[in-house]
Amino acid sequence: MGHWKEVAMEMQEQESDRHLADLLGITYDELTELDYEIETDQSRDGLVYNYRIEFDIDNSPKDILSKIKNLEDGCRVYFQPWDFDEEYDYDEQYDAITENKDYLQKFKDEIANLEALNSLKIPDEVLKAILHRQLFISVIGTMETFLADAFINLTNDNEEFLKNFIETHPEFKKRKFELREVFEEYSKIKETAKKVMLDTIYHNLPSVSQMFADTFKIEFPSIKNVYEYVLKRHDLVHRNGKTKEGETVVTDENAITELISKVTVFTNDIATKLNIT
């Protein structure tokens, strides 16, 4: 390999690392001090669900790890596949969400489709198990989509909600700038808010419930029962269907029916509190 080709490849790698640092909310220099691996979570047919950044907490400075956005269990961050696409258009995604005002009906329609799939009689036990596993994941994904669509639409359409969001979200609390920069920062604040909302992991219910309560001034429903299913979904996607204790997550027809029931009650409660029809 020629010298200049090696230089070009090194520059490309540095650019990718700078993009990753930006996604994590840290500087490129801080990223270089971390020990980490980039893994993928994917289905058996190779479909990538997400990327997972695993940090070696024993060999990474804790003060830098504490700065990382959406860090889970103190050692990992999940990204959607398109997050690594530097050409990803936040405005296009935001516009697509805010143009759809029927997000509650969209949730109901998708749940009805999942119920229909759950009632299918499949003689092949292996295929049936695969279907039920995917249905379980999809029910949580449908709830997550509703939460994202509701939050982004309501915040986009109401200046008071946007103000509440900016004043209470941790991402804005840690941002510092000099007084002379106030007008420049103010001009960018809505764009920053868009990015923060789109980057939010909406199945992270402890964080999302606080966001809803702070932004919309509502009493968010108890997340206890539903969040147990979110954690099971995590086991299905990231631990091949096993809990940390090695137990198999049950995803048969009855389990899916129960999950759909609890997610529907949970979502309808939120819709009622937010006057979504």
Side-chain angles (χ1 to χ4, degrees):
M1 182 184 295
H3 170 70
W4 291 112
K5 188 170 183 178
E6 290 181 356
V7 170
M9 290 182 64
E10 183 176 344
M11 289 177 65
Q12 185 176 14
E13 289 176 1
Q14 287 184 4
E15 192 62 34
S16 296
D17 287 345
R18 291 183 189 281
H19 181 54
L20 175 59
D22 184 56
L23 291 173
L24 294 170
I26 58 178
T27 67
Y28 171 74
D29 290 337
E30 288 173 329
L31 178 66
T32 61
E33 295 187 47
L34 298 175
D35 189 347
Y36 64 92
E37 296 287 341
I38 301 178
E39 308 285 352
T40 59
D41 294 313
Q42 58 190 52
S43 65
R44 294 178 182 177
D45 58 1
L47 174 65
V48 175
Y49 290 122
N50 53 244
Y51 289 96
R52 186 177 75 255
I53 315 297
E54 294 281 353
F55 297 96
D56 184 338
I57 58 177
D58 294 325
N59 296 303
S60 299
K62 289 182 173 52
D63 60 322
I64 298 178
L65 288 174
S66 67
K67 298 179 182 180
I68 293 175
K69 295 189 297 185
N70 299 319
L71 187 68
E72 296 189 14
D73 299 328
C75 62
R76 68 179 60 85
V77 177
Y78 295 100
F79 289 111
Q80 302 294 341
W82 54 82
D83 288 329
F84 285 96
D85 182 0
E86 296 184 55
E87 300 300 320
Y88 177 68
D89 193 331
Y90 278 91
D91 286 333
E92 182 178 339
Q93 176 69 6
Y94 193 85
D95 290 344
I97 291 173
T98 54
E99 286 171 3
N100 172 33
K101 303 301 181 185
D102 295 326
Y103 39 90
L104 179 57
Q105 187 60 49
K106 174 182 170 185
F107 167 82
K108 292 178 179 178
D109 290 344
E110 186 62 21
I111 287 295
N113 291 335
L114 295 173
E115 287 178 318
L117 288 172
N118 191 41
S119 66
L120 291 177
K121 303 304 178 185
I122 300 177
D124 188 305
E125 291 299 320
V126 173
L127 291 179
K128 183 164 65 175
I130 293 173
L131 174 63
H132 286 151
R133 178 173 177 155
Q134 294 305 315
L135 288 176
F136 194 108
I137 294 169
S138 295
V139 173
I140 298 300
T142 300
M143 177 191 71
E144 182 179 10
T145 298
F146 169 79
L147 291 172
D149 288 353
F151 191 90
I152 292 172
N153 271 283
L154 292 174
T155 304
N156 178 73
D157 295 342
N158 187 301
E159 286 293 327
E160 186 67 23
F161 291 158
L162 179 61
K163 178 174 175 289
N164 292 342
F165 174 63
I166 292 169
E167 288 180 346
T168 60
H169 195 281
E171 180 64 26
F172 294 96
K173 291 181 180 179
K174 69 183 182 183
R175 291 176 180 257
K176 308 294 182 183
F177 54 85
E178 297 181 15
L179 188 60
R180 62 186 175 84
E181 300 173 308
V182 67
F183 291 107
E184 178 185 357
E185 292 296 325
Y186 180 75
S187 67
K188 298 187 299 185
I189 198 164
K190 284 191 175 182
E191 290 304 312
T192 302
K194 285 182 183 180
K195 191 171 186 300
V196 172
M197 284 188 277
L198 288 173
D199 285 343
T200 296
I201 307 299
Y202 284 89
H203 63 247
N204 182 358
L205 293 183
S207 175
V208 167
S209 63
Q210 192 63 54
M211 266 176 50
F212 271 75
D214 289 340
T215 300
F216 306 128
K217 307 304 179 187
I218 64 169
E219 182 179 348
F220 199 82
S222 172
I223 66 172
K224 183 178 182 300
N225 290 336
V226 174
Y227 195 51
E228 290 176 0
Y229 288 102
V230 172
L231 297 179
K232 289 180 180 179
R233 175 263 181 201
H234 180 90
D235 293 333
L236 290 171
V237 174
H238 306 301
R239 295 195 179 94
N240 198 30
K242 301 285 187 180
T243 67
K244 288 182 179 179
E245 294 74 27
E247 297 177 358
T248 300
V249 176
V250 177
T251 60
D252 58 21
E253 184 176 345
N254 291 334
I256 302 300
T257 298
E258 181 179 330
L259 170 60
I260 287 175
S261 175
K262 291 190 176 181
V263 164
T264 300
V265 169
F266 178 73
T267 301
N268 285 338
D269 193 359
I270 295 171
T272 298
K273 291 177 185 296
L274 294 172
N275 296 317
I276 300 172
T277 58

Coordinates of all heavy atoms in Angstrom, one line a residue, residues 1 11 14 18 20 26-27 29 36 41 48 64 66 69 76 94 113-114 123 145 147-148 150 183 191 195 211 236:
M1 N 0.9 -1.2 0.0 CA 0.0 0.0 0.0 C 0.9 1.2 0.0 O 1.8 1.3 0.8 CB -0.9 0.0 1.3 CG -1.8 1.2 1.3 SD -2.8 1.2 2.9 CE -3.8 -0.3 2.7
M11 N -6.8 9.4 7.7 CA -7.6 10.6 7.8 C -9.1 10.3 7.8 O -9.9 10.9 8.5 CB -7.3 11.6 6.6 CG -6.0 12.2 6.6 SD -5.6 13.3 5.2 CE -6.9 14.5 5.3
Q14 N -9.9 9.0 11.2 CA -10.0 10.1 12.2 C -11.3 10.8 12.0 O -12.0 11.2 13.0 CB -8.8 11.1 12.0 CG -7.5 10.5 12.4 CD -6.4 11.6 12.3 OE1 -6.6 12.7 11.9 NE2 -5.2 11.2 12.6
R18 N -14.2 11.3 14.8 CA -14.7 12.6 15.2 C -16.2 12.6 15.2 O -16.9 13.2 16.0 CB -14.1 13.7 14.3 CG -12.7 13.9 14.5 CD -12.1 15.1 13.6 NE -10.7 15.2 13.6 CZ -10.0 15.7 14.6 NH1 -10.6 16.2 15.7 NH2 -8.7 15.7 14.6
L20 N -18.1 9.9 15.7 CA -18.5 9.1 16.9 C -18.4 10.0 18.1 O -19.3 9.9 19.0 CB -17.6 7.9 17.0 CG -17.9 7.0 18.3 CD1 -19.3 6.6 18.3 CD2 -16.9 5.9 18.3
I26 N -18.8 14.1 23.4 CA -17.5 14.4 23.9 C -16.6 14.9 22.8 O -17.0 14.8 21.6 CB -16.9 13.1 24.6 CG1 -16.8 12.0 23.6 CG2 -17.7 12.7 25.8 CD1 -16.1 10.7 24.2
T27 N -15.4 15.3 23.2 CA -14.4 15.7 22.1 C -13.7 14.6 21.5 O -13.6 13.5 22.1 CB -13.4 16.7 22.7 OG1 -12.6 16.1 23.7 CG2 -14.2 17.9 23.4
D29 N -10.4 14.3 21.3 CA -9.3 14.0 22.2 C -9.8 13.2 23.4 O -9.1 12.3 23.8 CB -8.7 15.3 22.7 CG -7.9 16.1 21.6 OD1 -7.5 15.4 20.7 OD2 -7.8 17.3 21.8
Y36 N -12.7 1.1 23.9 CA -14.0 0.6 23.6 C -14.0 -0.3 22.3 O -13.0 -0.3 21.6 CB -14.9 1.9 23.3 CG -14.5 2.7 22.1 CD1 -15.0 2.5 20.8 CD2 -13.5 3.7 22.3 CE1 -14.6 3.2 19.7 CE2 -13.1 4.5 21.2 CZ -13.6 4.2 19.9 OH -13.2 5.0 18.8
D41 N -25.9 -5.5 17.0 CA -26.9 -6.4 17.3 C -27.8 -6.7 16.1 O -28.3 -5.7 15.5 CB -27.8 -5.9 18.5 CG -27.0 -5.7 19.7 OD1 -26.3 -6.6 20.1 OD2 -27.1 -4.6 20.3
V48 N -29.4 -5.5 10.8 CA -28.8 -4.9 12.0 C -29.9 -4.1 12.7 O -30.5 -3.2 12.1 CB -27.6 -3.9 11.5 CG1 -27.1 -3.1 12.7 CG2 -26.5 -4.7 10.9
I64 N -14.5 11.1 31.9 CA -14.9 11.2 30.5 C -16.2 10.3 30.3 O -17.1 10.8 29.6 CB -13.8 10.7 29.5 CG1 -12.6 11.6 29.6 CG2 -14.3 10.7 28.0 CD1 -11.4 11.2 28.8
S66 N -18.5 9.8 32.3 CA -19.6 10.5 32.9 C -20.2 11.6 32.0 O -21.3 12.0 32.2 CB -19.2 11.2 34.2 OG -18.3 12.2 34.0
K69 N -23.4 10.8 26.4 CA -24.8 10.9 26.4 C -25.4 9.5 26.3 O -24.9 8.6 25.6 CB -25.3 11.7 25.1 CG -24.9 13.2 25.2 CD -25.6 13.9 24.0 CE -25.1 13.5 22.7 NZ -25.6 14.3 21.6
R76 N -22.1 1.3 28.3 CA -22.5 1.1 26.8 C -23.5 2.1 26.4 O -24.2 2.7 27.1 CB -23.0 -0.3 26.6 CG -24.4 -0.6 27.2 CD -24.8 -2.0 26.9 NE -23.9 -3.0 27.4 CZ -23.9 -3.5 28.6 NH1 -24.8 -3.1 29.5 NH2 -23.0 -4.4 29.0
Y94 N -37.2 14.8 11.2 CA -38.1 15.6 12.1 C -39.4 16.0 11.4 O -40.5 16.0 11.9 CB -37.4 16.9 12.5 CG -38.0 17.7 13.7 CD1 -37.8 17.3 15.0 CD2 -38.8 18.7 13.4 CE1 -38.4 18.0 16.1 CE2 -39.4 19.4 14.5 CZ -39.2 19.1 15.8 OH -39.8 19.7 16.8
N113 N -52.6 -5.0 13.8 CA -51.8 -5.9 12.9 C -51.0 -6.9 13.7 O -50.9 -8.1 13.3 CB -50.9 -5.0 12.1 CG -51.6 -4.2 11.0 OD1 -52.7 -4.5 10.7 ND2 -51.0 -3.1 10.6
L114 N -50.4 -6.5 14.8 CA -49.6 -7.4 15.6 C -50.5 -8.5 16.3 O -50.1 -9.6 16.4 CB -48.8 -6.6 16.7 CG -47.7 -5.7 16.1 CD1 -47.1 -4.9 17.2 CD2 -46.7 -6.5 15.4
P123 N -47.9 -24.4 12.3 CA -47.6 -25.7 12.7 C -46.1 -25.9 13.0 O -45.7 -26.7 13.9 CB -48.0 -26.6 11.6 CG -48.0 -25.7 10.4 CD -48.4 -24.3 10.9
T145 N -42.4 4.2 19.3 CA -42.7 5.1 18.2 C -43.8 6.1 18.6 O -43.7 7.3 18.3 CB -43.1 4.3 17.0 OG1 -42.1 3.5 16.5 CG2 -43.5 5.3 15.8
L147 N -44.5 7.1 21.7 CA -43.9 8.1 22.6 C -43.1 9.1 21.9 O -43.1 10.3 22.2 CB -43.0 7.3 23.6 CG -43.8 6.4 24.6 CD1 -42.8 5.6 25.5 CD2 -44.7 7.2 25.6
A148 N -42.3 8.7 20.9 CA -41.5 9.7 20.2 C -42.3 10.6 19.4 O -42.1 11.8 19.4 CB -40.5 8.9 19.3
A150 N -45.5 11.4 19.8 CA -46.3 12.3 20.6 C -45.5 13.4 21.2 O -45.8 14.6 21.2 CB -47.0 11.5 21.8
F183 N -26.8 35.4 21.8 CA -27.7 35.5 20.6 C -27.4 34.4 19.6 O -28.4 33.9 19.0 CB -27.5 36.9 19.9 CG -28.0 38.0 20.8 CD1 -27.2 38.9 21.4 CD2 -29.4 38.2 20.9 CE1 -27.6 39.9 22.2 CE2 -29.9 39.3 21.7 CZ -29.0 40.1 22.3
E191 N -33.0 24.2 16.8 CA -32.3 23.1 16.0 C -31.7 22.1 17.0 O -31.7 20.9 16.8 CB -31.2 23.7 15.1 CG -31.8 24.4 13.9 CD -32.8 23.6 13.1 OE1 -32.4 22.4 12.8 OE2 -33.9 24.1 12.8
K195 N -32.5 18.0 17.6 CA -31.6 16.9 17.6 C -31.6 16.1 18.9 O -31.5 14.9 18.9 CB -30.2 17.5 17.4 CG -29.1 16.4 17.2 CD -27.8 17.1 16.8 CE -26.8 16.0 16.4 NZ -26.5 15.0 17.4
M211 N -39.0 13.3 31.2 CA -39.2 14.2 30.1 C -40.6 14.7 29.9 O -40.9 15.8 29.8 CB -38.6 13.6 28.8 CG -37.2 13.9 28.5 SD -36.6 13.1 27.0 CE -37.9 13.5 25.9
L236 N -34.1 -10.1 24.6 CA -34.4 -10.8 23.3 C -33.4 -10.3 22.3 O -32.9 -11.1 21.4 CB -35.8 -10.5 22.9 CG -36.9 -11.2 23.7 CD1 -38.3 -10.7 23.3 CD2 -36.8 -12.7 23.5

